[in-house]
Amino acid sequence: MSRIAATFARLRQEGRVALMPYLTVGFPEPGSTLDLVPALEAAGASLFELGMPFSDPLADGATIQRATQRALDHGINLSTCIETVATLRARGLQAPLLLMGYYNPLLRYGIERACADFAAAGGDGWIIPDMPPEESAQLHAAAAAHGLDLIMFVAPTTPDDRMAEIAARASGFIYVVSLTGVTGARASLSTNLATVIERLRRLTDLPLVVGFGISSPAHVAEVAQIADGAIVGSALIAQLEQLPAADLVPGATRFVRELMTGIER
Amino acid sequence: MSSSETETTPGRFGPYGGRYVPETLMPAVMALEAAYAEAKADPAFWAELGELQRTYTGRPTPLTFARRLTEKCGGAQIYLKREDLAHTGAHKINNALGQGLLAKRMGKRRIIAETGAGQHGVATATVCALLGMECVVYMGVDDMARQRPNVFRMRLLGAEVRGVESGSRTLKDAINEAMRDWVTNPESYYLLGSALGPHPYPTMVRDFQSVIGHEAREQMLNQVGRLPDVIVACVGGGSNAIGIFHPFLNDTNVALRGVEAGGRGATLGDHAARFFAASPGVLQGTYSYVLQDDDGQIALTHSISAGLDYASVGPEHAWLHDTGRATYTAADDEEALDGFETLSRYEGIIPALESSHAIAEALKLAPTLRKDQIILVNLSGRGDKDIFSVAEALGMEI
């Protein structure tokens, strides 16, 4: 069983849902990710989405655009991201690690080589927002050959027949986009999220993890009622932007513990 | 190439093209594909578009023999396809009208567009005024500065122009922002201005721009009695070039030559000559040649012309390049400025800085050809919008 499947099986047994923080690799400082991930795992996070920076992140809002630009300024690339994963594993990190980013840097690195190197480093899956299932055959095959999941998205705009096709190709979990828009913290979650989840449940037994816009313990609690996991990205990045360097890890830990109250309540 | 059908499978030109967009947009892109297929098969759609082209745009645009320019070069005869005389001053109106009618047919009320030189933004704002639709145009703030007459025109036409501060603050960043708007508002219609982006845009934009080549082909046969030996067009995203090239693809005796922006030098970041320095990659929904660094990050570009200042190129051009049916060359900023001044003084036509790159290539090419040979230049737009940039480059004050 893959690390992702094992994690969700364990959570299901415990009757809990997953909190999955998003961190841009190399943000705010080049080495920050190596400090943040273990601390947030200890605080209760179950999986991690690690952002690979790209110059033209067209599915991302202003917060993640700023973070990825900063990471690019630090010289972070796909190799650095894979090395970060390897280092985290070498230090004993248990949680599944997924790399999130746009397709072109992967293509440039080489699809087969990227999958081989990422799997060897101890990575678990790719999240590629500009890679719809229709274009994914090559990446899907290479990922599967190396035991990696290519995470599929379902959006509020996805019609039923398409949802069935996506569910049939998906592995690991399905990333449910909570709202029609780019990433970024929102005041409230979409009203039709529950309907989307309900439709999807009829099509798949895979875990459903909700992302985009989740920014508070109340949002996490709302998602925990209906889904198997919640992704918190922009809200966490916004915290990191404000924290003084000395308080970075403790501050991020406090924020994640606070979010965890949404799961544990 | 035996067939003019360069689309090898739907949305693909050889390996190029495709549809690399977030899932949220996939249903909108697929709905657009279906709506366009339906419109394309409906003679009433083309009849309405044809009527507007005739009575509103002023088509057909003339074919002009550039007598003094030809004499100056002392070689091949130079003809100009006068897209500068189309309403709004460039070929961009051809696509904006076509897509505007499609948007109306789809019941859309709000139009999103990006613009580089401002010509597509002006054309879109014009069509929105004509059809009574809301119009939001994204434009890099650097481009707003160098093409400010067009910013003012868009606002006069009732469009909202939103400045884009991210990245290189040029066309690429304007497209990112327009796509972010579309992801947020998939009920809006994204009126993409060049033959790029996810399928069906490259095909659809080419179809709407092919009116240039169809007219030019007929005009050559009627006015001159034969087809040209070479067709020259500038290539940013590549819509004016594909528009004039496409109807000639089966005429294998007609050479097709695209001219990219050589900018200020050969260093990555100083030009937009994709076919000289780029490698295949995915940018903004399509697989094509992309100027990028070793990490796959998109490179900055430079050109004196905002409309050519883009890191990728339409996927059909990538395929025409690989198959050898079209060849691609570059003119640098200085050559373009020289083309700008030369055409102004010898023919009384002030060309857009984009089109000036094609003029520059014709100036180089004509003397190498015989006097009975013909070069057809697509004069894609007029240069009124560029007077501030040109004055600055020439150290003159307006």
Side-chain angles (χ1 to χ4, degrees):
Chain A
M1 193 188 284
S2 76
R3 205 180 274 121
I4 292 174
T7 299
F8 281 104
R10 178 174 51 76
L11 287 168
R12 205 166 273 188
Q13 267 184 348
E14 295 168 3
R16 281 162 28 99
V17 306
L19 186 75
M20 179 163 164
Y22 164 92
L23 293 163
T24 303
V25 176
F27 179 83
E29 298 307 324
S32 301
T33 313
L34 292 176
D35 299 331
L36 286 166
V37 173
L40 301 189
E41 184 185 42
S46 300
L47 304 82
F48 289 88
E49 181 182 357
L50 301 178
M52 310 179 274
F54 183 52
S55 52
D56 294 82
L58 58 78
D60 285 304
T63 307
I64 292 181
Q65 286 178 47
R66 278 198 306 275
T68 55
Q69 188 52 53
R70 177 86 178 261
L72 284 175
D73 294 343
H74 291 318
I76 303 296
N77 58 20
L78 182 50
S79 303
T80 337
C81 293
I82 291 173
E83 282 161 28
T84 300
V85 168
T87 307
L88 287 167
R89 284 280 175 255
R91 294 182 185 176
L93 192 96
Q94 297 299 312
L97 297 171
L98 293 103
L99 281 178
M100 177 275 173
Y102 294 80
Y103 187 41
N104 197 56
L106 246 82
L107 205 52
R108 181 74 180 200
Y109 190 94
I111 299 297
E112 169 58 30
R113 186 179 147 225
C115 290
D117 291 356
F118 182 36
D124 299 285
W126 300 110
I127 300 176
I128 313 291
D130 60 348
M131 171 56 65
E134 285 83 352
E135 307 288 358
S136 69
Q138 193 194 358
L139 179 56
H140 204 278
H146 292 282
L148 299 168
D149 291 313
L150 176 60
I151 302 304
M152 298 275 152
F153 288 87
V154 163
T157 51
T158 308
D160 277 331
D161 50 346
R162 186 171 168 78
M163 208 181 254
E165 282 173 37
I166 293 169
R169 293 185 201 217
S171 68
F173 60 85
I174 292 177
Y175 192 131
V176 182
V177 178
S178 75
L179 52 83
T180 305
V182 294
T183 60
R186 304 292 202 282
S188 61
L189 296 183
S190 163
T191 44
N192 70 353
L193 179 61
T195 328
V196 173
I197 300 269
E198 211 173 289
R199 283 158 62 206
L200 255 176
R201 291 284 190 209
R202 280 185 242 126
L203 298 167
T204 181
D205 293 328
L206 284 173
L208 306 181
V209 181
V210 179
F212 281 42
I214 301 173
S215 52
S216 68
H219 288 166
V220 173
E222 202 181 321
V223 169
Q225 293 298 315
I226 51 176
D228 305 295
I231 300 171
V232 180
S234 298
L236 176 57
I237 296 292
Q239 290 287 321
L240 300 182
E241 280 182 326
Q242 285 164 15
L243 288 165
D247 195 34
L248 188 74
V249 173
T253 306
R254 282 196 302 277
F255 183 66
V256 165
R257 285 222 172 96
E258 211 178 295
L259 291 172
M260 288 297 296
T261 63
I263 287 173
E264 284 153 0
R265 71 172 62 161
Chain B
M1 195 169 301
S2 60
S3 159
S4 71
E5 195 43 86
T6 41
E7 214 174 338
T8 44
T9 59
R12 287 279 176 184
F13 308 92
Y16 304 108
R19 187 145 60 189
Y20 300 86
V21 295
E23 175 58 27
T24 307
L25 277 184
M26 279 302 281
V29 172
M30 292 165 86
L32 176 63
E33 181 186 18
Y36 177 58
E38 192 219 18
K40 193 174 176 176
D42 180 0
F45 176 78
W46 295 102
E48 188 181 5
L49 179 58
E51 177 70 8
L52 280 172
Q53 286 173 338
R54 198 170 58 79
T55 62
Y56 188 72
T57 310
R59 303 207 71 88
T61 58
L63 177 74
T64 302
F65 176 49
R67 186 178 311 277
R68 292 194 64 225
L69 197 66
T70 297
E71 283 166 9
K72 173 186 159 53
C73 293
Q77 302 158 45
I78 301 171
Y79 282 82
L80 308 172
K81 177 60 176 165
R82 300 293 305 280
E83 292 302 295
D84 61 313
L85 292 178
H87 179 45
T88 71
H91 73 289
K92 292 292 187 187
I93 191 74
N94 303 329
N95 169 53
L97 260 186
Q99 287 200 55
L101 289 183
L102 181 62
K104 190 182 83 173
R105 193 183 168 100
M106 293 172 77
K108 303 289 186 180
R109 303 293 312 156
R110 180 176 181 269
I111 304 291
I112 311 158
E114 82 297 333
T115 197
Q119 289 302 119
H120 173 59
V122 167
T124 304
T126 297
V127 168
C128 287
L130 178 71
L131 301 178
M133 295 192 279
E134 185 189 346
C135 182
V136 176
V137 180
Y138 291 91
M139 188 170 190
V141 291
D142 284 7
D143 288 342
M144 287 176 75
R146 58 180 164 166
Q147 306 278 223
R148 53 190 185 276
N150 274 343
V151 176
F152 188 63
R153 289 168 78 198
M154 284 184 267
R155 288 177 173 151
L156 282 176
L157 292 160
E160 182 192 341
V161 182
R162 296 187 184 169
V164 177
E165 300 270 357
S166 59
S168 52
R169 300 184 292 269
T170 56
L171 178 58
K172 168 175 77 74
D173 313 285
I175 296 177
N176 285 339
E177 237 15 76
M179 290 191 86
R180 287 179 188 125
D181 185 320
W182 199 24
V183 169
T184 310
N185 305 289
E187 284 309 305
S188 294
Y189 184 95
Y190 180 23
L191 209 161
L192 183 56
S194 196
L196 350 128
H199 178 60
Y201 286 105
T203 308
M204 179 169 67
V205 175
R206 176 253 279 159
D207 289 349
F208 288 137
Q209 292 295 1
S210 290
V211 67
I212 306 172
H214 286 299
E215 283 178 10
R217 195 171 183 285
E218 200 182 308
Q219 288 166 325
M220 287 301 307
L221 291 174
N222 292 341
Q223 266 176 252
V224 189
R226 70 177 189 89
L227 297 180
D229 297 280
V230 189
I231 298 177
V232 179
C234 64
V235 182
S239 70
N240 89 80
I242 205 69
I244 197 164
F245 287 176
H246 202 263
F248 289 90
L249 287 181
N250 285 338
D251 301 310
T252 47
N253 292 331
V254 179
L256 307 174
R257 187 168 296 211
V259 188
E260 301 186 284
R264 61 189 162 220
T267 310
L268 192 64
D270 283 349
H271 63 83
R274 287 70 46 103
F275 291 118
F276 293 84
S279 45
V282 168
L283 177 63
Q284 295 171 332
T286 195
Y287 179 65
S288 185
Y289 281 75
V290 180
L291 287 166
Q292 54 185 311
D293 68 14
D294 292 342
D295 293 334
Q297 306 298 342
I298 309 307
L300 297 180
T301 52
H302 164 82
S303 168
I304 190 168
S305 124
L308 305 185
D309 198 351
Y310 183 64
S312 185
V313 63
E316 191 164 1
H317 284 292
W319 183 231
L320 292 177
H321 170 267
D322 284 12
T323 58
R325 178 62 189 94
T327 54
Y328 294 83
T329 179
D332 65 24
D333 287 353
E334 287 203 4
E335 291 169 325
L337 278 169
D338 181 53
F340 184 95
E341 289 188 285
T342 305
L343 192 70
S344 300
R345 290 183 189 177
Y346 279 79
E347 295 294 339
I349 299 169
I350 301 176
L353 274 174
E354 290 76 22
S355 323
S356 299
H357 287 70
I359 297 295
E361 173 61 18
L363 293 178
K364 279 187 258 182
L365 191 61
T368 70
L369 300 178
R370 295 189 317 271
K371 289 189 174 181
D372 63 342
Q373 290 185 296
I374 295 175
I375 299 173
L376 170 62
V377 178
N378 194 17
L379 194 67
S380 55
R382 70 178 188 223
D384 310 50
K385 69 185 177 60
D386 294 312
I387 55 175
F388 296 101
S389 306
V390 172
E392 193 186 317
L394 299 177
M396 293 159 75
E397 272 194 36
I398 294 184

